[in-house]
Amino acid sequence: MKPVRQCCVHDHDVLSSLALLPENNMRFYTTSHGARCNSRIWPTLCRYCGQRVFYFTCDCGCKVFFDELGAPWPKHQCRGYLNSLIETYGREVIERGMAVMMMTPGIESSYASKVQKAYEQEVRQPAPKKNIIRRDPVHGAREDVVGIVRELIDDVNVFKRIGASDNLFSRAMLRSLAKAQCVQITIHTGALASADNYRFTFLVDKQLLMQQSIVKGALIRCQLHSLVVPGWNPIWICDRVRSPFEED
């Protein structure tokens, strides 16, 4: 018998709502989302229409894009986004998820107030760089992080970046990245009203970005590993990059 998973429920996006259908063995809780389930919201851009949206996620496994912060928490439903869901999951599945959305409660007012104030502050005055902690790579480190793209540098020379000569040893250490067309990306991980805001700068093979609409301001999920070699500049290397909404 499969274990019964637990989840609190709210005014979900379609896919989060599907997890609440009876056949998916989820228990219903009527408590709204907020600090208790580690709710997080990032301002970002819709990859299909380019509109400013707000991505919500929490430890319950819920994922949703909102058009605005605060009640009635309007969900983003541009044609491109909905068509992508239908192509992936089928119209019947999406319609069933929408039916569940109509029966679920919302987000804690106290949490909503915090993120609204944080966003207003960010619009008026972005967080000072001193409040953003740089995460440097250390030997053997791996990270799975979600963050907003703050900088994109195309066609980076990986050998100059790490301060190494182009020889057999460095190519062996860099593996496929030695032959790749590299892009350097910097992301900030801090969600609205979050005390923690880290900066990661990493190299990624441009081929990994071909299926993604990655621009400054976009929210992405990255799987990183460190490359630390004596005499070189330590770097993060990205093994996978995708939308945080995509399933593993």
Side-chain angles (χ1 to χ4, degrees), residues 105-156:
I107 293 174
E108 291 176 0
S109 59
S110 59
Y111 174 70
S113 178
K114 284 182 179 180
V115 296
Q116 286 174 306
K117 290 179 180 178
Y119 181 63
E120 291 170 2
Q121 173 65 28
E122 183 173 298
V123 170
R124 289 196 304 268
Q125 182 178 358
K129 290 185 177 180
K130 66 180 182 179
N131 294 340
I132 303 172
I133 303 171
R134 187 180 71 187
R135 290 294 296 268
D136 292 324
V138 295
H139 181 70
R142 290 187 175 273
E143 297 280 355
D144 189 338
V145 293
V146 173
I148 297 174
V149 176
R150 297 304 188 190
E151 183 181 61
L152 280 164
I153 302 176
D154 206 356
D155 296 326
V156 172

Side-chain angles (χ1 to χ4, degrees), residues 17-54:
S17 299
L18 292 174
L20 301 176
L21 293 171
E23 59 267 35
N24 288 324
N25 297 320
M26 302 286 286
R27 291 178 181 164
F28 284 71
Y29 289 83
T30 57
T31 303
S32 298
H33 285 288
R36 63 173 296 280
C37 61
N38 192 27
S39 296
R40 301 169 309 278
I41 295 179
W42 289 268
T44 184
L45 303 173
C46 174
R47 62 184 295 187
Y48 299 99
C49 69
Q51 178 181 319
R52 168 68 67 185
V53 292
F54 300 90

